[in-house]
């Protein structure tokens, strides 16, 4: 795999992490300011965190899959 492809994939992963973190904090702050119950706040925090984790894990899996599938 070339260095250019690796750097593009790396910056894509960084962008996903940054946008996911921004979205997570924005959603959590909105739920917290709405004075929702503690259960709703907890579900929001853990739900969105697991969603970000799933996206990053899926993206990493696709990167490895394309790397292994690419001709040498």
């Amino acid at each position: 795999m070339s260095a250019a492809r690796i750097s593009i994939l790396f910056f894509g992963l960084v962008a996903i992490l940054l946008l996911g973190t921004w979205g997570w904090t924005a959603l959590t702050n909105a739920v917290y300011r709405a004075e929702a119950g503690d259960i709703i706040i907890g579900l929001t925090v853990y739900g969105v965190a697991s969603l970000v984790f799933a996206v990053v894990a899926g993206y990493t899996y696709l990167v490895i899959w394309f790397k292994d599938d690419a001709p040498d």
Side-chain angles (χ1 to χ4, degrees), residues 26-51:
L27 180 65
T28 305
N29 285 334
V31 170
Y32 184 72
R33 287 188 191 126
E35 296 181 7
D38 290 338
I39 293 174
I40 300 298
I41 293 172
L43 287 174
T44 302
V45 170
Y46 289 112
V48 176
S50 61
L51 179 65

Side-chain angles (χ1 to χ4, degrees), residues 4-27:
R5 182 180 282 182
I6 291 171
S7 63
I8 289 169
L9 294 173
F10 174 75
F11 286 121
L13 184 60
V14 169
I16 289 172
L17 283 171
L18 290 176
L19 289 173
T21 303
W22 173 77
W24 182 25
T25 55
L27 180 65

